[in-house]
Amino acid sequence: MERSREMAVKGKLVVIGQGYVGLPLSMRAVEVGYTVIGFDLDKSRVDQLASGTTYIEDVSSSQIKSALETDRFIPSFDPSDIDGFDFCVITVPTPLRDGLPDLSYITSASSMIGPRIKKGSSVILESTTYPGTTSELVLPELERLSNLVAGVDFFLGYSPERIDPGNPKFNFVNTPKLVSGINKASLEVISNFYKDLVDETVELKSPAEAEMAKLLENTFRHVNVALVNELAVFANELGIDVWEAIRGAASKPFGFMPFFPGPGVGGHCLPIDPSYLSWKVKLQLGENFRFVELANDINHHMPQFVSRRVMLGLNERGKAVKGSNIVLVGLAYKPNTSDARESPGVSVAASLIELGARVIALDPLVRKEDVNLPLEWKDFSKEIIKEADVVVILSPHRDFDLDEIVKSASYILDTRHVLKGDNIEYL
Ligand code: SAJ
């Protein structure tokens, strides 16, 4: 289908990957005047975008429709649409595969872009990855396939994504953007590119520091969540209210930042990103990044701790897990998101099913097909809560009727300390 491709004032931007990072970037770039190729290998995503239908919680269908109406937003899965770009931003996934970094999406994006680089164009990597990826992996591939010199014939840099899906306050435009270039010329071009798109840019001296900064941000969270999780386990055995202790510590106006115990750590960031750091340290230095490994271990075992608490709580009431009705409230990895990736709630469900419980999941946001377990999905009802031998609060979405749960449940294990009542135990 021939579409008008009039060059906008700002030139042609290609965004590789139209997920929760790439799509908001594409929308903003169209808004400021770029012609944007929203490239994704997933044809169903491209078709949805072309029909003005969103699949990202932070981008509305009307935003996509407005972008399409400018005739400067072209969803595509055809690599030839990439030709002649001025800027190309890579926003592809960097998952773990068998516990190790999987950079296949970055390498295939680089291979697709390389032959299509023209003199004066810029390539920016945004995917979260280990320090060194831009200069050691992407740069050589782009030079090899383009026969051009990075930093001279074309510009190259790294700018980590900081999108927090569902965050009502911080978005792509108002979150400060770290920017870096492989040399001064690249930094200048890339910094100016982002200055056009976001309120504030922060220049770092090289891609390695920007890659490391991003991993530091999420490793900081992962380690501190693990700290309070391990504290919760010991406080429970010591008969101390860890939530009250955290509330007290949080009253300190400096030098402290509260984190809260939970059923474990899920999502696309915390369980993944720190392992990119520990992998690099191990590979290059042969050293163990002990903080990351310890945090992974503690957070990974929290679902088992939750299942053990359920078992002990039922035991107290003369019941076995086997044959009990267990209602899980919220299977997403955190409240108010539909994402069940690496969700600890799913691990809790799996272990209770294995113990022979009848597990009922209440979560209107999560897609059933994302959870491959023999559990029963139900809509919230007073009856289901009344019939439950235990109700486990895992990810309390804002639309749940928590008061009704407190009123109707005989026994609640609240792993998020969101409820008040006599029939409630906390993590
Ligand atoms: N979690 C706890 N206790 C806490 C904080 C988090 O158990 O005190 C758990 C959550 O339940 C979840 C996991 O950790 O299962 C991750 O939670 P998160 O709040 O870190 O949420 P994410 O994974 O969506 O992280 C994103 C990150 N954003 C980016 O990487 C761009 C992170 O840097 C943000 O700080 C975070 O959102 C945020 O602040 O919401």
Side-chain angles (χ1 to χ4, degrees):
M1 176 174 71
E2 192 42 40
R3 305 182 191 99
S4 88
R5 293 199 192 311
E6 95 277 355
M7 288 306 281
V9 169
K10 300 213 189 248
K12 180 175 179 179
L13 163 65
V14 172
V15 183
I16 310 282
Q18 290 297 279
Y20 75 89
V21 177
L23 189 55
L25 170 57
S26 295
M27 293 297 101
R28 177 62 178 161
V30 169
E31 204 175 2
V32 303
Y34 282 93
T35 291
V36 179
I37 305 290
F39 186 90
D40 204 296
L41 289 173
D42 180 340
K43 188 175 177 309
S44 70
R45 276 185 166 187
V46 173
D47 293 343
Q48 286 182 78
L49 292 176
S51 66
T53 313
T54 191
Y55 46 81
I56 298 284
E57 53 193 306
D58 293 343
V59 175
S60 66
S61 295
S62 59
Q63 270 179 290
I64 297 170
K65 288 190 178 76
S66 315
L68 290 167
E69 278 152 22
T70 67
D71 243 351
R72 289 186 288 105
F73 177 54
I74 297 110
S76 168
F77 56 88
D78 175 357
S80 65
D81 279 343
I82 291 176
D83 291 346
F85 65 82
D86 297 297
F87 291 92
C88 178
V89 181
I90 304 171
T91 60
V92 296
T94 44
L96 290 177
R97 202 168 297 285
D98 303 326
L100 296 174
D102 172 5
L103 292 164
S104 58
Y105 296 94
I106 291 182
T107 45
S108 53
S110 305
S111 307
M112 182 173 63
I113 296 162
R116 296 180 163 87
I117 294 178
K118 71 180 185 190
K119 283 206 170 192
S121 59
S122 299
V123 179
I124 303 140
L125 177 62
E126 286 209 357
S127 307
T128 303
T129 185
Y130 66 80
T133 304
T134 304
S135 303
E136 296 163 15
L137 186 81
V138 175
L139 186 153
E141 182 71 353
L142 296 184
E143 286 191 330
R144 181 177 70 82
L145 294 169
S146 64
N147 286 318
L148 296 172
V149 178
V152 178
D153 299 323
F154 68 94
F155 306 106
L156 176 63
Y158 181 78
S159 173
E161 59 92 358
R162 281 177 165 173
I163 302 291
D164 177 26
N167 190 316
K169 189 172 169 213
F170 294 109
N171 53 50
F172 172 70
V173 176
N174 67 8
T175 302
K177 197 90 167 74
L178 298 185
V179 295
S180 69
I182 57 165
N183 61 358
K184 210 166 166 337
S186 299
L187 175 60
E188 191 181 343
V189 171
I190 290 166
S191 191
N192 288 333
F193 169 71
Y194 281 108
K195 278 192 172 78
D196 225 0
L197 298 172
V198 300
D199 294 345
E200 183 190 347
T201 57
V202 178
E203 295 185 356
L204 296 188
K205 69 187 218 187
S206 96
E209 282 77 19
E211 289 157 341
M212 174 76 85
K214 168 66 185 179
L215 292 178
L216 171 57
E217 287 166 21
N218 284 349
T219 302
F220 162 75
R221 291 181 67 75
H222 194 55
V223 167
N224 279 286
V225 172
L227 170 64
V228 290
N229 277 337
E230 188 164 51
L231 206 56
V233 173
F234 293 145
N236 174 255
E237 285 158 32
L238 292 169
I240 297 169
D241 181 342
V242 70
W243 301 89
E244 184 70 347
I246 293 168
R247 185 173 70 85
S251 67
K252 183 179 176 191
F254 53 85
F256 183 80
M257 178 180 187
F259 286 84
F260 301 95
V265 167
H268 48 270
C269 302
L270 270 58
I272 312 274
D273 301 348
S275 297
Y276 269 71
L277 202 48
S278 54
W279 174 81
K280 174 73 175 179
V281 168
K282 184 84 176 174
L283 181 83
Q284 199 138 343
L285 310 175
E287 299 284 348
N288 297 321
F289 199 140
R290 288 160 296 172
F291 266 109
V292 172
E293 292 174 6
L294 181 59
N296 284 341
D297 183 53
I298 291 167
N299 290 333
H300 181 73
H301 283 91
M302 284 312 282
Q304 278 172 320
F305 175 65
V306 173
S307 304
R308 178 172 156 70
R309 290 290 303 278
V310 169
M311 197 159 36
L312 293 172
L314 289 173
N315 188 54
E316 276 302 302
R317 292 158 177 81
K319 293 178 183 171
V321 173
K322 194 178 172 94
S324 284
N325 276 345
I326 299 180
V327 171
L328 303 181
V329 175
L331 248 52
Y333 79 87
K334 70 175 185 179
N336 308 318
T337 175
S338 59
D339 197 341
R341 279 177 293 183
E342 313 281 333
S343 171
V346 173
S347 306
V348 171
S351 63
L352 294 171
I353 288 168
E354 210 172 313
L355 290 169
R358 177 193 172 213
V359 174
I360 296 159
L362 305 183
D363 193 325
L365 303 185
V366 166
R367 296 183 325 158
K368 319 283 175 264
E369 53 272 28
D370 289 350
V371 179
N372 182 20
L373 284 176
L375 45 73
E376 294 175 52
W377 292 94
K378 298 267 188 194
D379 293 333
F380 181 94
S381 78
K382 201 188 297 188
E383 291 64 36
I384 286 173
I385 300 297
K386 278 187 183 318
E387 286 160 17
D389 295 303
V390 58
V391 175
V392 187
I393 307 295
L394 293 165
S395 286
H397 300 315
R398 62 173 69 89
D399 293 342
F400 277 130
D401 184 348
L402 299 180
D403 294 340
E404 187 54 56
I405 292 175
V406 175
K407 260 192 310 201
S408 308
S410 57
Y411 162 42
I412 299 172
L413 175 60
D414 178 2
T415 72
R416 300 291 190 170
H417 204 276
V418 290
L419 303 181
K420 286 198 175 13
D422 304 332
N423 54 343
I424 299 166
E425 266 181 34
Y426 300 111
L427 201 56

